[in-house]
Amino acid sequence: MTVRAVVAAGTDIGHVREGNEDSFLAEEPLFAVADGMGGHRGGEVASSLALETIERMFALGEGELVEQVREANRAVFERSTLDRAVAGMGTTLTAALLEGDHIRLAHVGDSRAYLVRDGRLRLLTEDHTLVHRMVLEGELTEAEAEVHPHRSILTRALGVDPDVEVDEITLEVRAGDRLLLCSDGLTGMLPEPRVEEILGAEVEPQRAVDRLIREANDAGGVDNITAIVIALTETDTDPSEGDTSATTATPGDPGPPSVTTGTVSRGGRAERISGSAEQEPPRPTPRPLASSRRPKPPWPKLATWVGVTLGILVLAFVGLRLYLDSQWFVGVSDGRVAVYRGIPAQVAGFDLNHVVVETSIPADAATSFALYRDLPDGITADDREEAQQIVEQIRRDTAIGQQDAGAGGGA
Ligand code: MN
């Protein structure tokens, strides 16, 4: 059996970002979502270049989907290497190719593909993110991963290295199935049960896309949002018409069974992408560069660098430790004056100090003196002895203050 697709796609900048770095491709039978990163311009270039590459190769019949994605990786990597304005850019890419009654997926990054069958939403792809890896290793729960501040850190993306590992998934589909491709701006805003509900309520692809994007925006819209909904239908044949070719549309037909739209909202990137084939003739790919890159044994080299980096980190840590151990200050701990070892600062949430002695002197009593107003920020001392002297001075001053207050009250 062959199925046909009715597809709708949309992208939106969201409420927070200044540009839309997402791109999509919806040209039956090839569909893809890419979420660019690496600065405003870099992100846009990376995601659109990746999609232009697979679109062009597909049109020319060059390679399988996975090879097209690998080539897209090389194209983004080379542009990133050659053009300083977009150095360091990268992109996710989740692509789907409809082949008869099969869907072939190629995937890198944290955009996602879902299958909707019998009203149930099923995630087909695996996020290439740090938090997902931590979930697999049992260090985080799914729920913790969903709200983790670093949940968007990718472990794999296109354009970062000359080669990339691409996940491949093939699945059999049937009429009635729907496929959702989306960027993390959708799934980061809407929990999966809500996405499932929306797709259950909105059967028509364009309405589903519009509503998914609208609700992701209503939920905050902190990232660019892109969604493609592909509804698979029976091949458009009427049994009464006999066995004339199923693929030939008769003149009386209302239109082709497939509707490809690239509309929606403020993004307007759809037109740019689907029209890009004419605007930008296929560039001669800079082959010599690719072959001049030395054949690398990546792992030994990586291991060396990891070793060197770890060594530097250890030295830095030991140096910091020694330095901090030689520093002293007087500050406040639990509302009381205290002697600290280290410096009154934090790095990445870690205190660079610890309490050595907590006195019984209330901090309020000390800070009521202009002299000790800076106490909560820490009064630094040359050594422990000096810190102790500062404490004794505070003790005397606050004791006098209390006596004065007591005397005043009693008079
Ligand atoms: Mn994103």
Side-chain angles (χ1 to χ4, degrees):
M1 187 198 69
T2 302
V3 292
R4 293 304 305 267
V6 178
V7 60
T11 188
D12 191 85
I13 192 172
H15 288 323
V16 176
R17 298 294 174 88
E18 286 177 4
N20 191 344
E21 300 172 29
D22 285 0
S23 296
F24 68 81
L25 173 64
E27 301 271 352
E28 190 185 357
L30 182 60
F31 312 96
V33 166
D35 178 349
M37 64 203 74
H40 185 155
R41 169 145 174 76
E44 278 188 24
V45 171
S47 64
S48 51
L49 177 58
L51 295 190
E52 283 161 18
T53 305
I54 64 169
E55 185 183 26
R56 189 186 68 234
M57 287 182 75
F58 180 77
L60 296 172
E62 288 176 4
E64 302 261 304
L65 183 61
V66 173
E67 284 143 12
Q68 293 160 4
V69 172
R70 289 201 195 103
E71 184 57 37
N73 173 69
R74 275 187 288 275
V76 176
F77 179 76
E78 279 171 10
R79 180 80 68 88
S80 159
T81 313
L82 295 172
D83 183 355
R84 285 183 60 184
V86 295
M89 68 178 174
T91 184
T92 73
L93 204 166
T94 301
L97 180 66
L98 179 59
E99 288 182 319
D101 58 354
H102 282 77
I103 289 258
R104 191 187 290 262
L105 292 168
H107 164 74
V108 175
D110 68 348
S111 298
R112 290 180 177 177
Y114 288 96
L115 176 70
V116 188
R117 177 176 287 175
D118 303 326
R120 297 289 310 275
L121 187 72
R122 200 176 99 209
L123 180 60
L124 300 173
T125 48
E126 191 180 338
D127 290 353
H128 300 139
T129 56
L130 197 58
V131 290
H132 181 69
R133 193 154 79 188
M134 288 167 83
V135 168
L136 293 180
E137 286 167 2
E139 292 174 44
L140 284 181
T141 65
E142 292 276 4
E144 287 167 338
E146 270 173 31
V147 295
H148 198 281
H150 302 314
R151 61 184 174 278
S152 58
I153 294 180
L154 297 180
T155 52
R156 236 195 271 173
L158 253 61
V160 177
D161 289 306
D163 290 302
V164 70
E165 186 189 343
V166 181
D167 287 357
E168 292 181 68
I169 302 132
T170 303
L171 91 151
E172 209 177 315
V173 288
R174 52 184 190 237
D177 285 348
R178 277 178 293 166
L179 208 70
L180 167 67
L181 304 184
C182 59
S183 63
D184 70 329
L186 180 76
T187 46
M189 289 292 104
L190 298 181
E192 286 180 350
R194 185 61 199 148
V195 173
E196 190 177 85
E197 277 172 19
I198 294 171
L199 289 166
E202 305 290 359
V203 177
E204 202 277 308
Q206 189 64 58
R207 288 179 58 93
V209 163
D210 291 349
R211 181 139 165 218
L212 286 168
I213 290 176
R214 190 172 67 241
E215 289 205 15
N217 264 323
D218 291 346
V222 302
D223 195 2
N224 306 142
I225 309 152
T226 300
I228 303 178
V229 172
I230 304 146
L232 302 172
T233 61
E234 300 264 2
T235 305
D236 198 23
T237 35
D238 186 344
S240 65
E241 284 180 5
D243 25 319
T244 46
S245 167
T247 49
T248 316
T250 48
D253 270 358
S258 141
V259 180
T260 306
T261 38
T263 54
V264 163
S265 316
R266 294 164 272 170
R269 314 234 334 117
E271 289 74 18
R272 223 179 71 65
I273 291 153
S274 35
S276 59
E278 307 96 66
Q279 295 163 3
E280 225 175 293
R283 298 165 290 115
T285 339
R287 280 285 147 226
L289 187 104
S291 53
S292 75
R293 214 175 293 119
R294 67 216 118 76
K296 24 56 262 230
W299 285 109
K301 197 182 157 198
L302 181 63
T304 307
W305 279 108
V306 166
V308 168
T309 308
L310 281 178
I312 290 170
L313 283 176
V314 166
L315 281 177
F317 185 76
V318 169
L320 179 67
R321 192 73 257 172
L322 288 172
Y323 170 73
L324 290 178
D325 280 349
S326 69
Q327 302 300 304
W328 295 85
F329 68 96
V330 181
V332 177
S333 168
D334 289 327
R336 300 184 181 281
V337 175
V339 173
Y340 283 84
R341 193 168 198 168
I343 55 173
Q346 281 193 334
V347 166
F350 291 99
D351 286 317
L352 298 180
N353 54 61
H354 62 273
V355 174
V356 176
V357 183
E358 189 177 304
T359 70
S360 59
I361 310 166
D364 286 348
T367 50
S368 64
F369 287 82
L371 187 62
Y372 304 123
R373 214 170 35 205
D374 294 332
L375 184 69
D377 296 326
I379 300 170
T380 51
D382 285 341
D383 51 32
R384 181 171 188 164
E385 212 171 287
E386 194 189 333
Q388 205 56 49
Q389 284 164 9
I390 294 170
V391 167
E392 292 312 317
Q393 189 60 47
I394 293 173
R395 196 189 297 281
R396 281 194 295 276
D397 289 344
T398 54
I400 290 164
Q402 274 163 5
Q403 276 167 13
D404 284 350

